[in-house]
Amino acid sequence: MIRTIAIDQLQPGMYIVDLHRPWLAHSFWRGRFRVGDAAQIVRLVEEGVTEVSIDTGKGLDLPPVEPPIATDDEIARHFINRLARLKAKPATVSLGEERRRAARLITEAGAVVGDLMLAVRDGRDVDAARLEPMVGKLLESVRRNRDALAPLARLKRSDAYASEHAVATTALIAALGYQQELSEPELEKLALGTLVKDIGEAAIDTRLTAKPGMLSQSEYALVQSHVEEGLAVLQATARLPETTVAVVLEHHERYNGCGYPCRMAGADISAVGRMAAIADTYDALTSDRPYRPAISPSQALRLLYEQGGSHFDPELVAAFVRTVGIYPIGTLVMLESGHLAVVEEIHHDNLLCPVVRVIYHGARRLYVAPVRIDLARSVGNHYGRVVHADTFERWGLSPQRWQPA
């Protein structure tokens, strides 16, 4: 039930659905949220909010008004004790079902990001508030199963790379954020920043961003300007949270100070900026680009690991590997039996023994009837352990054909 109440009736635990003020007239980037504490209510008052609408189905309602109780004088009245509802946990679904949901979500979120990029290209205002529902849906998907959304989002259409890269990187950084035990409000700001971090690229000539060859020094400087251009476009219409700004501004900074635009280094780069640099680079490396083909997830992880301490925070690289797995979903691996298999699921407590689908016999160079094997179980496993990660290109196999559905 939706009801409108005065600001002095608002209590922690209530779920706000409308602040009754224009989005740009206050600093709360979300229009729907659960009130966490009294300090948040004070902020609303300071922002000039006088009334709000609440959803009593998602949060607390006003206490019922009790008629006076005619009892002894020492009893004035009774109060009803209420406990704040626990934050609802997402329903548990199978990995296959979550992948089906994720496929629809990738299309939906990519369309919204694409519309915002088109607004930048056309010189129109960018309404980042449109991303609020997408942020919530993306986080819910990753929270239900971190191994569903990111691997699917790695497969991109060449004509929609920018928007789909934004969604894929958001899925990766959300999984890393949960692994780092960030709070939900911080994750929301982190996800928003990741969705819009490259929005400034829409203002750059597509002939430059899609150039197949090496960029000249002046061209590279122009591409680098997308960071500050994007931040200027976003802040022209909204006051973004500090975490969101950090992601947009710092995702191309590098741990050794060789990045851009500010050549920040080490701990001077925020933790979310260092996280964004890793997720952004990993997704770019595993995606086909006009100037180079994609490399395998395991190759990308190896490169990140080798550059830990130079380009990237080594501790966060290690955390990222634990998040996506030593053999990420979709990786082609060689088994002790000589068979090739595609990783379909990861045991995050046993990264060396994923669930795989055997598809090919390497020595005979023949397809075999696909069979699903959990390498963490000895029963029924006649294929042995993973010997090493391999590449589809080396064997002339199609990575799109054998991606988990």
Side-chain angles (χ1 to χ4, degrees):
M1 173 182 172
I2 306 298
R3 66 188 304 170
T4 299
I5 62 173
I7 192 65
D8 58 3
Q9 295 176 294
L10 188 63
Q11 300 178 27
M14 290 182 172
Y15 190 89
I16 294 176
V17 294
D18 192 346
L19 293 175
H20 292 234
R21 296 202 71 197
W23 188 64
L24 298 180
H26 56 78
S27 61
F28 288 81
W29 74 270
R30 291 179 300 157
R32 295 169 176 258
F33 58 92
R34 189 186 303 276
V35 178
D37 52 31
Q40 202 167 29
I41 298 175
V42 171
R43 276 190 60 202
L44 288 167
V45 173
E46 292 174 345
E47 295 278 354
V49 177
T50 58
E51 64 178 9
V52 297
S53 292
I54 62 172
D55 186 340
T56 60
K58 294 184 177 181
L60 296 180
D61 194 358
L62 289 173
V65 178
E66 291 189 348
I69 302 175
T71 59
D72 295 338
D73 291 341
E74 66 269 15
I75 301 176
R77 60 178 302 178
H78 290 287
F79 289 93
I80 298 176
N81 294 323
R82 295 174 294 116
L83 295 175
R85 296 181 181 181
L86 293 173
K87 187 177 182 69
K89 294 183 179 180
T92 301
V93 299
S94 68
L95 179 58
E97 173 59 26
E98 190 56 46
R99 282 175 178 153
R100 286 187 285 274
R101 294 185 184 187
R104 295 191 295 270
L105 181 55
I106 290 168
T107 300
E108 184 181 359
V112 177
V113 175
D115 284 347
L116 295 183
M117 289 184 165
L118 186 60
V120 173
R121 191 170 295 121
D122 293 344
R124 295 181 280 114
D125 288 343
V126 176
D127 182 11
R130 289 182 57 197
L131 290 171
E132 181 190 336
M134 293 299 100
V135 167
K137 290 180 180 180
L138 290 167
L139 290 179
E140 286 173 7
S141 177
V142 175
R143 192 162 60 241
R144 283 191 296 262
N145 195 312
R146 71 174 103 168
D147 297 330
L149 182 60
L152 282 178
R154 193 169 66 239
L155 302 175
K156 302 176 182 67
R157 296 168 296 166
S158 59
D159 60 344
Y161 172 80
S163 59
E164 292 180 359
H165 171 63
V167 177
T169 310
T170 301
L172 288 166
I173 207 167
L176 179 57
Y178 280 118
Q179 196 273 345
Q180 293 288 288
E181 299 183 342
L182 298 185
S183 67
E184 201 70 20
E186 192 70 1
L187 278 168
E188 291 170 349
K189 299 168 189 174
L190 175 62
L192 175 63
T194 309
L195 279 175
V196 299
K197 63 181 174 53
D198 291 320
I199 203 164
E201 286 188 1
I204 300 174
D205 191 333
T206 54
R207 289 175 297 181
L208 187 58
T209 55
K211 183 177 178 179
M214 292 288 292
L215 298 177
S216 67
Q217 189 172 354
S218 60
E219 288 173 333
Y220 186 52
L222 186 58
V223 170
Q224 289 179 329
S225 71
H226 83 271
V227 173
E228 291 162 306
E229 177 71 24
L231 191 59
V233 167
L234 292 166
Q235 292 190 317
T237 55
R239 287 179 289 176
L240 298 175
E242 183 178 344
T243 296
T244 301
V245 172
V247 173
V248 175
L249 190 60
E250 300 173 9
H251 68 281
H252 282 298
E253 299 291 354
R254 293 296 178 259
Y255 202 62
N256 60 3
C258 69
Y260 65 87
C262 301
R263 301 188 70 84
M264 302 167 72
D268 290 339
I269 308 170
S270 69
V272 295
R274 283 174 272 150
M275 291 168 64
I278 293 169
D280 179 69
T281 302
Y282 174 82
D283 187 67
L285 288 172
T286 55
S287 304
D288 284 321
R289 304 297 294 122
Y291 46 87
R292 56 142 184 83
I295 64 176
S296 70
S298 58
Q299 289 175 313
L301 287 180
R302 186 179 302 114
L303 182 59
L304 289 173
Y305 181 79
E306 291 171 351
Q307 295 183 342
S310 57
H311 285 57
F312 308 104
D313 183 328
E315 292 186 5
L316 285 176
V317 169
F320 187 75
V321 172
R322 290 194 297 272
T323 300
V324 300
I326 294 174
Y327 306 113
I329 291 174
T331 300
L332 186 71
V333 294
M334 173 65 74
L335 304 179
E336 289 177 324
S337 64
H339 288 82
L340 291 167
V342 180
V343 176
E344 293 201 333
E345 291 186 42
I346 297 169
H347 295 298
H348 289 279
D349 57 349
N350 188 356
L351 296 177
L352 292 174
C353 297
V355 178
V356 302
R357 184 170 297 276
V358 178
I359 62 169
Y360 196 80
H361 195 292
R364 299 173 184 171
R365 291 191 172 265
L366 291 173
Y367 282 106
V368 297
V371 56
R372 195 169 188 267
I373 299 294
D374 186 345
L375 299 182
R377 298 181 178 180
S378 57
V379 178
N381 178 11
H382 309 298
Y383 300 89
R385 298 167 63 87
V386 174
V387 177
H388 57 75
D390 218 308
T391 65
F392 288 91
E393 293 74 20
R394 177 169 175 253
W395 296 93
L397 305 178
S398 167
Q400 284 77 22
R401 176 182 175 184
W402 294 108
Q403 289 306 302

